[in-house]
């Protein structure tokens, strides 16, 4: 679709807001890939046949310490997700993203400064703090984008965070291959700085403003984003309703003196009535929270987050160099890592175009099948490596091809779409807390994946672990086919009505 200049002027505020808020995901990508190149940089006295002057004085560290350096990022992110609903609810989407950017800056400073005296605990604290920023960022970004974009653009713009996440991973690989671990931490200060500065010039989400009674500000925000014809756009009070309100105020002034005379006698009754009303409202909120309209989309999102984490791709992201070294590929580990990063970025860029054209369901099913085949063959490579210490040169390229295909499959489906759907499925009233729960699921499963990967490879061998990932990816195909509805082209109100049972969506 070719857009003319007026159309571009109309959508640029939504695009600009998406790009700025997605700087948080760019930071997440760099922090995720940091371990792939930084761990060898800080832990190996010799690197690429030369003395590594930036290695810690106490290197090589115990495997348990390295495991904690890798896994503390998702561990901290669990804590961040648990608390993210509070700033999202009470501060707003915009201040929450600014808070996350500030945490990222502090975290990377701690990691960088740890080099001055080889302080491993300082690195761990920095990784935990970075994880807290990740946990706050994950729901905040997708919720902000879903509430500030038109339904016709939400699919494409909703994939931008995943695209920037892939770009961050690539930058982490490429820059980390040429600089020391602490220098990469200092470079990582740039994206959160852009995030903080950019968010200062953007308005708050009109949905949050409306829900907090700031209707006039919500109308201004909606107009700034050009969200006309969206069912979530707030409306200003009409002239008639304003006049009616003035008449009511005049009538109230007339009766105010009479009411004051009996106020003392009725205070107790009013207080009791308010208490009962508050209790009834709280009971209604609790009942709706455990209703099908809330639990159904939450369960769908939680399963998608588990499938994303345990697809096996995150192991490749966090441990790329280690995986290539373990499988015995004839291609240089760092070259292969850079190639994988480029492929992931390009494939994720393709998903931005396809999300609104092909739909969410078909992309997820294709993603599952591609990862099932490629990771299954990668498991076979590990199996062959068990019988042959060095993989024959004739098939030395096969592990890289398998990993490239796995990243392509992941990037067009299970990489970006679970985050996009998280912003679409949840009802507006509970979007903050449900986004936090979904993010906690993603990060908890990611933590266990990374923390116990080494233990699993000892118990099941590498090929057994990757064949487990193969089975999970195949299960993901059937889950999407049987249980996930299509949300392409639907506005948020239609999706909410579908899950609440008020109105079913037609198949798209």
């Amino acid at each position: 679709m070719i857009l003319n200049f007026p159309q571009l002027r109309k959508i640029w505020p939504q695009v600009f807001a998406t790009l700025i808020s997605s700087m948080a995901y760019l930071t997440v990508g760099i922090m995720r890939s940091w371990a792939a190149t930084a761990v060898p940089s800080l832990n190996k006295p010799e690197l690429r046949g030369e003395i590594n002057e930036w290695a810690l004085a106490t290197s090589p560290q115990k495997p348990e310490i390295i495991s904690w350096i890798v896994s503390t990022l998702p561990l901290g992110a669990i804590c961040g997700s648990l608390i993210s609903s509070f700033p999202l609810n009470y501060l707003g989407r915009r201040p929450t993203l600014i808070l996350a950017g500030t945490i990222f800056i502090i975290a990377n400073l701690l990691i960088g400064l740890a080099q001055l005296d080889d302080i491993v605990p300082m690195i761990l604290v920095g990784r935990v703090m970075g994880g807290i920023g990740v946990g706050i960022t994950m729901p905040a970004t997708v919720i902000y984008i879903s509430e500030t974009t038109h339904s016709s653009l939400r699919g494409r713009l909703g994939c931008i965070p995943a695209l920037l996440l892939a770009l961050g991973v690539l930058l982490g690989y490429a820059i980390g291959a040429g600089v020391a671990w602490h220098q990469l931490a200092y470079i990582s200060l740039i994206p959160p700085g852009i995030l903080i500065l950019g968010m200062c010039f953007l308005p708050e989400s009109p949905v949050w403003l409306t829900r907090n009674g700031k209707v006039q500000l919500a109308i201004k925000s909606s107009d700034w984003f050009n969200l006309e014809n969206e069912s979530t756009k707030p409306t200003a009070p009409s002239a008639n309703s304003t006049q009616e309100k003035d008449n009511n105020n005049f009538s109230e002034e007339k009766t105010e003196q009479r009411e004051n005379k009996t106020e003392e006698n009725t205070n107790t009754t009013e207080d009791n009535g308010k208490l009962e009303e508050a209790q009834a409202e709280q009971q209604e909120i609790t009942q709706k929270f455990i209703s099908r309209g809330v639990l159904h989309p939450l369960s769908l999102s939680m399963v998608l987050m588990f499938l994303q984490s345990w697809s096996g791709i995150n192991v490749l992201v966090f441990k790329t160099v280690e995986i290539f070294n373990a499988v015995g590929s004839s291609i240089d580990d760092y070259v292969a890592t850079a190639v994988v990063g480029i492929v992931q970025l390009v494939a994720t860029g393709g998903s931005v175009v396809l999300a609104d054209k092909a739909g969410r369901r078909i992309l997820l099913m294709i993603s599952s099948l591609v990862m099932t085949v490629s990771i299954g063959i990668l498991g076979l490579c590990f199996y062959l490596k068990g019988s042959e210490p060095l993989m024959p040169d004739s098939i030395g390229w096969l592990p890289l091809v398998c990993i490239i295909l796995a990243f392509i499959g992941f990037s067009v489906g299970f990489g970006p779409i679970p985050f996009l759907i998280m912003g679409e499925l949840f009802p507006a009233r509970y979007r903050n807390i449900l986004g936090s729960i979904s993010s906690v699921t993603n990060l908890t499963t990611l933590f266990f994946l990374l923390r116990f990967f080494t233990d699993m490879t000892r118990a099941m061998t590498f090929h057994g672990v990757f064949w487990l990932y193969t089975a999970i990816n195949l299960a993901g195909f059937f889950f999407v086919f049987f249980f996930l509805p299509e949300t392409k082209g639907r506005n948020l109100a239609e999706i909410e009505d579908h899950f609440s049972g008020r109105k079913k969506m037609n198949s798209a």
Side-chain angles (χ1 to χ4, degrees), residues 57-72:
T58 54
S59 64
Q61 299 289 323
K62 295 179 180 180
E64 291 77 12
I65 297 296
I66 297 302
S67 177
W68 278 112
I69 290 176
V70 173
S71 61
T72 44

Side-chain angles (χ1 to χ4, degrees), residues 180-395:
W181 58 274
H182 64 286
Q183 294 169 340
L184 180 57
Y186 290 136
I187 294 171
S188 301
L189 296 170
I190 298 174
I194 297 174
L195 171 67
I196 294 172
L197 182 63
M199 291 306 297
C200 291
F201 295 95
L202 290 172
E204 179 56 81
S205 153
V207 175
W208 184 88
L209 291 169
T210 302
R211 292 197 63 80
N212 285 270
K214 302 178 181 180
V215 178
Q216 293 301 324
L217 289 176
I219 293 171
K220 290 181 181 179
S221 173
S222 186
D223 290 341
W224 194 91
F225 287 112
N226 294 320
L227 293 177
E228 64 269 14
N229 300 323
E230 281 289 279
S231 60
T232 54
K233 180 178 178 179
T235 55
S238 63
N240 290 336
S241 64
T242 303
Q243 182 63 41
E244 182 179 349
K245 183 177 179 182
D246 291 340
N247 292 336
N248 289 339
N249 288 339
F250 178 77
S251 178
E252 287 172 3
E253 289 175 5
K254 284 287 197 176
T255 58
E256 184 177 358
Q257 290 183 346
R258 292 195 301 269
E259 290 177 351
N260 287 339
K261 292 179 181 180
T262 59
E263 184 177 359
E264 293 182 2
N265 296 329
T266 58
N267 274 346
T268 303
T269 305
E270 289 178 358
D271 290 342
N272 291 337
K274 289 179 182 179
L275 180 60
E276 291 175 0
E277 183 180 345
Q279 290 174 341
E281 182 179 358
Q282 184 62 42
Q283 185 177 5
E284 180 186 2
I285 291 174
T286 303
Q287 288 175 347
K288 287 186 177 180
F289 185 79
I290 60 175
S291 66
R292 182 181 183 276
V294 174
L295 295 183
H296 186 190
L298 175 62
S299 62
L300 291 176
S301 180
M302 290 175 69
V303 173
L304 288 175
M305 291 301 184
F306 167 79
L307 292 170
Q308 184 198 66
S309 292
W310 279 74
S311 64
I313 300 299
N314 280 307
V315 166
L316 301 177
V317 171
F318 280 81
K319 297 174 176 284
T320 315
V321 175
E322 178 184 339
I323 294 296
F324 275 111
N325 185 51
V327 79
S329 174
S330 59
I331 301 174
D332 180 79
D333 299 341
Y334 287 90
V335 172
T337 298
V339 170
V340 166
I342 294 171
V343 168
Q344 184 184 13
L345 176 63
V346 173
T348 306
S351 71
V352 174
V353 178
L354 293 173
D356 270 331
K357 292 182 178 293
R360 285 56 155 161
R361 277 170 48 85
I362 187 65
L363 289 179
L364 287 171
M365 288 188 285
I366 292 173
S367 176
S368 297
L369 291 178
V370 172
M371 290 191 294
T372 297
V373 174
S374 56
I375 290 182
I377 297 176
L378 183 62
L380 180 61
C381 292
F382 277 112
Y383 179 79
L384 295 175
K385 173 71 164 46
S387 56
E388 292 288 339
L390 292 176
M391 185 170 291
D393 290 338
S394 58
I395 60 170

Side-chain angles (χ1 to χ4, degrees), residues 74-85:
L75 181 63
I78 295 170
C79 301
S81 290
L82 288 171
I83 64 173
S84 63
S85 63

Side-chain angles (χ1 to χ4, degrees), residues 416-449:
I417 292 180
F419 296 118
L420 166 62
I421 285 181
M422 182 173 72
E424 290 183 328
L425 294 184
F426 300 149
R429 186 172 192 176
Y430 303 100
R431 193 168 292 145
N432 298 333
I433 184 64
L434 296 182
S436 298
I437 294 172
S438 183
S439 297
V440 167
T441 302
N442 178 278
L443 297 163
T444 302
T445 53
L446 178 60
F447 168 72
F448 283 111
L449 175 81

